Amino acid sequence: MKGANFKGRGTGQQPGNTYEKNELVQEHIEGIDIPKYEENPRTKFISINSKSALSVNDSPDLPLNYSINPYQGCEHGCIYCYARNSHQYWGYDAGLGFETKILVKTDIIAQLKKQFEKPNYQAQAIMLSGNTDCYQPAENKFQLTKKILETCLSYNHPVSIITKNSLIERDFELLKKLASKNLVHVYFSINHLDKGLKLLLEPRTAIAAKKIEITRKFSKAGIPIGIMVAPIIPGINTEAIPEIIKSAAEAGAMKVGYTVVRLNGQVKDLFHNWLLEHFPDRAEKVMHQIEALHGGNPNDTAWGRRLKGDGVLAKTISDLMQLSIRKYLPKGSKMPAFDFSQFIGNGQTKLF
């Protein structure tokens, strides 16, 4: 799990792929074997084809059954990201490989249109960023998210977006058109207000102040926007909860939600090493508190419990969230309902 520390990366570690029988290692420092990375690696974009544009899930934890991910892997480098483990399915590692090997689904628009055109397709709201961020830096180059939104607009199909990147502001006019038809919800993920913490925890995301600024802009334009305080990491960002909600509410956020951190698979060791490097004075305490949220384990897979945690600490976090929401968010504030009646498939409005 050893690795160099690279500027702008969440980790320099490259844990072995659990699905691979062999592992490339450095045995001789004399130069007979060469390490994978001798300096901060540049991001590599790899084009792939997708079997289907939409992923289907049956988890009761998630409000939407359909999700779409134009990119796999993520340059944001968030050290706690649960999606890191899924990068191993593609033959890469959950550490630095997740941040530097970005898979680009170049055929996703054609696949999405094909799905919308199926005679038996029923419109349901799609979650953009169900796994990795749809507005990560790769979007600046490939613009797949923008094309997905344009496709949703042309078919009058509802879509929900969650992101940590200010690049979403680029699509302001497009989002206004979707909002005018009740076809879009936007969420920003904000879990801290500290620029210094951002550089360590989520190195290539937008700062909280910028996300609050865009929240205000979108709200004034009639684009429904909410905030996810996610993930909450005890001992790292819990104290920021009230101020985040206060700032979001003042900017016009209509809804606030949250999740607590869970360290699945190799993310546990990646995160623990990150703590030891950046917060050695409280590393073990933070790990124990995370475990306290999940019945003594760093992760929890039980539906209905894994995202909010359980026990005394989980209740303390929940109470703080609810108290802050009641204090700062207007009573009864919520996202407007999606309008599914406008969906057009096979060139015809579906009436039934």
Side-chain angles (χ1 to χ4, degrees), residues 234-250:
I236 297 295
N237 62 2
T238 313
E239 293 181 356
I241 291 173
E243 191 60 34
I244 291 172
I245 296 175
K246 180 175 184 283
S247 298
E250 290 174 349

Side-chain angles (χ1 to χ4, degrees), residues 3 44 58 79 87 123 139 176 188 208 215 235 239 265 272 279 295:
K44 183 177 181 180
D58 58 358
I79 190 60
H87 218 46
E139 171 62 16
K176 277 205 305 183
F188 267 127
T215 296
E239 293 181 356
H272 189 204
F279 300 96

